[in-house]
Amino acid sequence: MAKTSHTFLPLIFLSFLTLVASSHAGGIAIYWGQNGNEGTLSETCATGKYTHVIIAFLNVFGNGQTPEMNLAGHCNPSTNSCTKFSSEIKDCQSKGIKVLLSIGGGIGSYTLSSIEDARNVSTFLWNTFLGGKSSSRPLGDAVLDGIDFDIELGSTQNYQHLARFLKGYCRFGKRVYLGAAPQCPIPDKFLGTALQTGLFDFVWVQFYNNPPCQYNGNITNLVSSWNQWTKNVPSGKIFLGLPAATAAAGSGFVPADVVSSEILPVIKKSRNYGGVMLWSRFYDLQTGYSNSIIGSV
């Protein structure tokens, strides 16, 4: 019996290692900031469901424009009323949650007209939201963990330079995380070149509003696109970006039970699987979508 048990234990251990190697635990990233009825940052983080909170959006920047942040319904940056979220950002970070500022979005005025413009925008972001200093910090003295690129308008150029300039600030001792939210057709029109730098820690691919690569009653197109992203885009972690309600997107909503039983068991085998990104906290609050998938992520 002793001999048999000695042989059996390593086999169990090897099976366990194989299971761990073939499936990776992930987190849930959530966008917050575009609906005043979605609750505060502290309330969002207190749920314990999210590993990343992305504040949306800084939607005016570049080409000599004065940058502007729009946190619809939450506060007005021009009256300094958004500084109230400084303590809440710190509260989220104390729970181990990464908090990023998203630049871009579907509505706004932004572009990068040159490499020098990218440098100037990076300086602004560093001094205003990250580890630098500025007399004007709309979110107060909280130091965000990084910047998310949700680029859907304007020029398709120079975002690789913005990424490099932002990553350069890591030399001051605190890591600057970079996120990106490309559309699922690959390469992404706006961020394809930037993503090839390999500088992005989190890539939450939007598998919605894009019929060729989203769920359409079966998972084939989505999984095929996912495999292209995980094999061809160098990054830290890649997330499955989904709408948290049918009303959250024009198309591409995936029922939570399909995500848990059909999609996640397949994509979690990818070595760079990171988890699921949801748009947005407001819709998740209405539907409880994250509650339905959290045990499978």
Side-chain angles (χ1 to χ4, degrees):
M1 286 296 294
K3 228 174 189 180
T4 304
S5 63
H6 286 160
T7 305
F8 185 56
L9 283 173
L11 288 175
I12 293 176
F13 185 65
L14 284 173
S15 298
F16 173 75
L17 287 179
T18 302
L19 181 64
V20 170
S22 62
S23 184
H24 309 286
I28 297 179
I30 195 83
Y31 275 84
W32 175 96
Q34 286 301 293
N35 193 298
N37 296 318
E38 63 194 336
T40 66
L41 276 171
S42 283
E43 289 167 347
T44 299
C45 294
T47 64
K49 297 187 294 187
Y50 311 117
T51 52
H52 305 72
V53 173
I54 310 152
I55 299 174
F57 290 103
L58 183 84
N59 67 340
V60 177
F61 62 85
N63 201 28
Q65 301 178 93
T66 301
E68 295 178 17
M69 184 172 64
N70 181 340
L71 298 183
H74 285 286
C75 58
N76 184 349
S78 66
T79 63
N80 236 21
S81 62
C82 299
T83 56
K84 65 184 179 183
F85 289 116
S86 181
S87 60
E88 299 192 23
I89 291 167
K90 295 174 186 176
D91 178 45
C92 292
Q93 291 171 325
S94 73
K95 294 176 169 64
I97 297 167
K98 298 282 186 294
V99 183
L100 288 79
L101 172 70
S102 187
I103 63 172
I107 300 173
S109 173
Y110 54 86
T111 193
L112 294 177
S113 58
S114 65
I115 296 175
E116 190 59 28
D117 194 23
R119 186 192 302 276
N120 291 338
V121 171
S122 76
T123 301
F124 168 80
L125 292 171
W126 169 255
N127 288 330
T128 311
F129 298 101
L130 301 172
K133 295 187 182 301
S134 171
S135 59
S136 174
R137 287 182 66 97
L139 295 175
D141 63 355
V143 177
L144 298 182
D145 294 292
I147 301 296
D148 170 60
F149 292 38
D150 182 14
I151 308 304
E152 303 179 33
L153 305 170
S155 171
T156 61
Q157 306 298 311
N158 298 309
Y159 285 99
Q160 72 273 30
H161 302 299
L162 179 59
R164 289 193 181 100
F165 290 136
L166 286 169
K167 272 297 184 184
Y169 286 111
C170 292
R171 68 185 183 276
F172 293 116
K174 180 176 168 61
R175 184 171 180 178
V176 176
Y177 289 91
L178 295 183
Q183 307 291 312
C184 56
I186 188 170
D188 181 77
K189 174 182 176 182
F190 294 96
L191 294 172
T193 301
L195 290 171
Q196 287 302 318
T197 64
L199 294 173
F200 287 82
D201 303 281
F202 319 114
V203 178
W204 9 78
V205 184
Q206 297 183 48
F207 288 95
Y208 50 95
N209 295 333
N210 288 286
C213 48
Q214 69 188 27
Y215 177 77
N216 60 0
N218 69 68
I219 69 171
T220 304
N221 289 351
L222 187 152
V223 170
S224 175
S225 178
W226 171 271
N227 288 336
Q228 290 184 62
W229 279 96
T230 54
K231 290 174 183 174
N232 298 319
V233 177
S235 68
K237 296 293 181 182
I238 294 184
F239 286 63
L240 175 73
L242 298 172
T246 53
S251 63
F253 176 76
V254 189
D257 63 320
V258 174
V259 174
S260 296
S261 65
E262 297 183 42
I263 297 176
L264 288 176
V266 175
I267 70 172
K268 285 173 71 172
K269 295 174 183 177
S270 305
R271 59 172 180 75
N272 45 358
Y273 166 80
V276 173
M277 174 274 279
L278 296 177
W279 176 269
S280 64
R281 169 61 180 163
F282 171 73
Y283 292 106
D284 191 34
L285 197 57
Q286 308 306 305
T287 64
Y289 195 91
S290 60
N291 293 332
S292 301
I293 65 169
I294 194 167
S296 305
V297 174

